[in-house]
Amino acid sequence: MRWLVGWSSTAAGALGGAVGYGGRDEGRYDGGDTYGGQVGYDGETLHPVGSQLLWGDPDPLWAVGDWRPDEVRVVKADAQTRIAVLGTCGASDEQLRVGLFAARGGALRHLTAWPGSYTAVVQVGRRVTVCGDLAGARPVFHTPWAGGTAYATAALPLADLIEANLDFGHLAALLAAPDVPAALHDSTPYDGVRRVPPGHALILRAGAREIAGYDPVASLAVAAPPADPDSAVDGVRDALVDAVRARLSAPRHVPDIDPGPVPGMGPAERRAARGMPVPGIGADLSGGPASGTLALLAAGLPGMPGTVLGHGTGAGERLLAVTFNDLTTRAREEELQRAGALAANPRLHHVVVTGAEEALPYADLDGPLTDEPGPSLVTAARHRARLAAGSADHFTGYGARQVLDAHPARLADLLMDRKRRHLVRPVAALTKADGSVLVPARVYGAARRLARTPYRAGVENLADRLLHRSFEDDPGGAVGASLAALTWAGPGPAARWLTGEALAEVSVLLQNSAHRAGVGPGQRPGDYRARAALTRHAADLRILEQAAEIRSQRLHAPFLDNQVVRACRALPETLRVQPGARAAILRTVLKGAGITDLPPGWGAPAHGTTATTARNGLRLATDPLLTLFDAPLLAEAGLIEARVVRKAVRAAASGEPLPLDGLADLISLELWLRRLLSRRGTCWTGTPARARAVPAGIAPQRRAVSSGG
């Protein structure tokens, strides 16, 4: 894991303006050892474990973890004005300096408009500004501490710092309504640690904090201006090309040197067995349009990789394309054939990774502790098997569906804008998939109800459903899922297995949110639901990256970059809702980049294999899962009853139509709690008795329901 952490205190520290540049004023940090020290409760010096100081008192900042030298840059205008950028950023030092001057005047959007995925921190005197991203893949957290405010890009270090207990209300909301921002609000699994919403920045002035948005949000009162589809798709192409080029232009990273041969193993097998990625750049190649687009763009842009030996620079580096072949199902044969056809490109080196029962979900329940829980914990071993064959820098297509596709609730947005005729094709596609002549009336009626339902009424309706345990059967097919999504807020798939007290507590949270003065998304329902879905997906990708981490490897998800998200949000809704829109947009993107030779059927929707794979994994791992829920921590916390979950696991493994996503949420949260409570270390040195999060374990607390709060 890698994060940055710092704080802003109410008064200047003893070391004044000491900074850790090691003699350099700007550019890449070179590991200077000047130390900015804040003191703890008993006068001891505090600093994070395994950290490098970027600047010191009175408001110090550290980079923690295995950051590469080119991933940490600090540019200084004067002794009190500087900017630190951590991650992959395509801006030059001069552009960073210009952004620093703009931020000094209060303009924050400039700090988020460079290609790449990064976190920017600006210090101007005693004012510190930390910018989160639009998707939520690089969040920012904060907590009151020592009379000021501590902040970090990970929640666990702050929880260790203040010895935070678990926030059971957040854990209940994470299971009951994971896609509803009103339920989760700005909370985290750690009591007292707060999250900065996506699209916002944390501003600290001598310890006082402020949350400020830097990106405009579509208004409910005024329709968005009409957008030209061609220019919008061109914007997506330019943003994607810039995002890929930012990664290609970064210095190449070579993993640790191979310690030597192993009898019977080749170099690639040795690297995989030792958990070492292949040097260079690679990409997923699943056969789908998102990963295929990134692989072809990365291989086709000038320079390395993708330079065929004997042409151009003569470097001869080919992009490593990795395809995962699940041997337990034969439903993806067409995608695998398309991946093989794409890999015939001489700029690509194709590697197929096979996985049988050992790579199914739930096959390996051991793993590292992540910053937060996430459903990807149950599939981390499956992804790790694929990523172990990847490169030191590995492109993934995560996020493409969330930023390009139309959430079903966008049909209500079209009705609000009086664009009824654009509903014809998506409704016709649903009718064809379902085969019922009643589909158009049902979909149109649900979209019309949502368009006429205020946000507050939608949230109150969900609160009432949770309070009275009103859950519908698992919606089957595309029509059922679309109808279930045509609401402001819906219960999570795991809500049906929570205790009445836990559901009542989430209901109270929702009612308080709905009645809070001035609260509301200020958005159209479709745009609101799409942003919430993107935030949840980005958060789960962040957890997956930590759970399936390969040493010295970096996962790159360009579709979640700020500029790519902005470009995709500029796409007109009338284009998004058309069947096959994502594949058509990406095909146009590739055509604009000079790539036209695509295999037949490229971009065709894949038949869902996720449910089949999850059910197979549940069936094979039934006994370990039942053992896991013999005495679960979730039951000790009052969120579930163990016998109810054990019964659900047996039923799902036997083939009953239960929401498998809900079981994944429950199991992953139980796994995360066990890993958190079994840890012995802490993120800080110099703390009294090496303070850490959740020191008392699962401690009973007064509930909001019982206390009337």
Short mmCIF file of all heavy atoms in Angstrom, two decimals, residues 42 49 60 262 276 279 314 330 533 609:
data_model
loop_
_atom_site.label_atom_id
_atom_site.label_comp_id
_atom_site.label_asym_id
_atom_site.label_seq_id
_atom_site.Cartn_x
_atom_site.Cartn_y
_atom_site.Cartn_z
N ASP A 42 2.30 12.66 24.95
CA ASP A 42 3.24 12.64 26.07
C ASP A 42 4.60 13.22 25.71
O ASP A 42 5.60 12.92 26.34
CB ASP A 42 3.43 11.19 26.56
CG ASP A 42 2.12 10.60 27.06
OD1 ASP A 42 1.30 11.38 27.60
OD2 ASP A 42 1.92 9.39 26.91
N VAL A 49 5.40 4.96 9.91
CA VAL A 49 6.35 3.89 9.65
C VAL A 49 6.64 3.82 8.15
O VAL A 49 5.74 3.87 7.32
CB VAL A 49 5.80 2.54 10.15
CG1 VAL A 49 6.74 1.40 9.79
CG2 VAL A 49 5.55 2.59 11.65
N PRO A 60 3.42 19.29 8.45
CA PRO A 60 4.26 18.33 7.72
C PRO A 60 3.45 17.44 6.79
O PRO A 60 2.25 17.24 6.96
CB PRO A 60 4.92 17.52 8.84
CG PRO A 60 3.94 17.60 9.97
CD PRO A 60 3.32 18.96 9.88
N VAL A 262 15.93 -21.57 -11.41
CA VAL A 262 15.34 -22.66 -10.64
C VAL A 262 15.19 -23.84 -11.57
O VAL A 262 14.67 -23.69 -12.68
CB VAL A 262 13.97 -22.26 -10.04
CG1 VAL A 262 13.33 -23.44 -9.33
CG2 VAL A 262 14.13 -21.08 -9.10
N MET A 276 6.82 -11.69 -8.90
CA MET A 276 7.49 -10.56 -9.54
C MET A 276 6.88 -10.34 -10.92
O MET A 276 6.73 -11.28 -11.69
CB MET A 276 8.99 -10.83 -9.69
CG MET A 276 9.72 -10.97 -8.38
SD MET A 276 11.43 -11.51 -8.64
CE MET A 276 12.01 -10.24 -9.78
N PRO A 279 9.19 -6.99 -16.45
CA PRO A 279 9.55 -5.59 -16.72
C PRO A 279 8.82 -5.06 -17.94
O PRO A 279 8.52 -5.80 -18.88
CB PRO A 279 11.06 -5.66 -16.95
CG PRO A 279 11.51 -6.93 -16.32
CD PRO A 279 10.36 -7.88 -16.44
N GLY A 314 13.65 1.06 -33.08
CA GLY A 314 14.35 -0.22 -33.01
C GLY A 314 14.40 -0.81 -31.63
O GLY A 314 15.17 -1.73 -31.36
N ARG A 330 -17.41 -22.43 -20.00
CA ARG A 330 -17.14 -22.30 -21.43
C ARG A 330 -17.96 -21.18 -22.05
O ARG A 330 -18.11 -21.11 -23.27
CB ARG A 330 -17.48 -23.62 -22.13
CG ARG A 330 -16.71 -24.82 -21.61
CD ARG A 330 -17.13 -26.09 -22.31
NE ARG A 330 -16.85 -26.04 -23.74
CZ ARG A 330 -15.69 -26.40 -24.29
NH1 ARG A 330 -14.69 -26.82 -23.52
NH2 ARG A 330 -15.52 -26.33 -25.59
N ALA A 533 -22.85 5.02 -8.54
CA ALA A 533 -22.34 3.72 -8.99
C ALA A 533 -20.86 3.80 -9.33
O ALA A 533 -20.09 2.87 -9.03
CB ALA A 533 -23.14 3.26 -10.21
N THR A 609 -21.27 -14.35 -16.92
CA THR A 609 -20.72 -15.56 -16.30
C THR A 609 -20.39 -15.33 -14.83
O THR A 609 -19.99 -16.26 -14.15
CB THR A 609 -19.44 -15.99 -17.03
OG1 THR A 609 -18.46 -14.92 -16.95
CG2 THR A 609 -19.72 -16.28 -18.49
#
